[in-house]
Amino acid sequence: MATADDVRRIALALPGAMEKLAWGMPTFRVDKGGRIFASLDDDDKVMGVKCPKEDREELIACEPEKFFLRVGHDENYAWLRVRLAALDDEDELYAILLDSWRQAAPRKLLDAHPELAASAD
C-alpha cells in the first residue's frame, strides 16, 4: 500500500520538485515553487494530481475505488483525487506522479530531461 511518505519521496525525486505547505496541506511543485503537480490531503490517505478534465470521467468510471473528484472543488480544475490504499504498487504511484509532473513542468525542464518527457510509459 502506498503511503504519504512514498508520495513525498517519489515526488521530490522528480527534477525541479519542491514541497510547500498550502491550504494546510503539503503540495509538490515544479520549478522553484511554480505549478502544483501533486498534493496530499490532510488525512495522508489521498493525493491530488493534475489530470485533463476530458480524461477524468473514464478513469473514475473504470476504477472508482481508486479515482474520484472532491465535490465542490475538483470539477472546476484539471485535478483528480487518488486513494493511496487502492494503488496496485509503487510503480503505479510513480507513473501517476510522473504524468502529473509532466503536465506541470515548464518546457525548459521537460527538454532538460527527455528521458522523463516521453508521453508513453
Side-chain angles (χ1 to χ4, degrees):
M1 177 175 82
T3 66
D5 288 338
D6 295 327
V7 171
R8 182 171 280 109
R9 178 177 46 79
I10 293 169
L12 292 175
L14 293 167
M18 64 171 289
E19 183 174 345
K20 182 177 180 182
L21 197 62
W23 310 287
M25 298 179 291
T27 63
F28 301 92
R29 298 165 184 254
V30 177
D31 204 29
K32 297 182 183 159
R35 292 177 157 181
I36 297 171
F37 70 93
S39 67
L40 285 167
D41 284 8
D42 56 7
D43 66 0
D44 282 348
K45 295 179 181 179
V46 172
M47 75 172 173
V49 292
K50 293 186 73 58
C51 181
K53 287 182 180 182
E54 60 272 10
D55 295 343
R56 298 184 308 188
E57 189 174 317
E58 182 178 352
L59 286 167
I60 293 167
C62 289
E63 298 184 272
E65 72 288 349
K66 191 177 292 185
F67 302 111
F68 68 101
L69 297 179
R70 193 172 75 193
V71 177
H73 183 271
D74 294 336
E75 57 270 311
N76 298 321
Y77 303 97
W79 206 249
L80 182 70
R81 302 290 160 165
V82 182
R83 291 179 183 91
L84 296 177
L87 293 175
D88 295 333
D89 54 28
E90 194 169 293
D91 289 341
E92 184 178 28
L93 174 60
Y94 174 78
I96 291 169
L97 285 167
L98 179 59
D99 185 60
S100 188
W101 176 88
R102 287 176 183 145
Q103 293 174 63
R107 173 60 43 204
K108 186 176 182 178
L109 188 58
L110 290 171
D111 289 346
H113 297 278
E115 74 284 4
L116 299 177
S119 60
D121 289 327

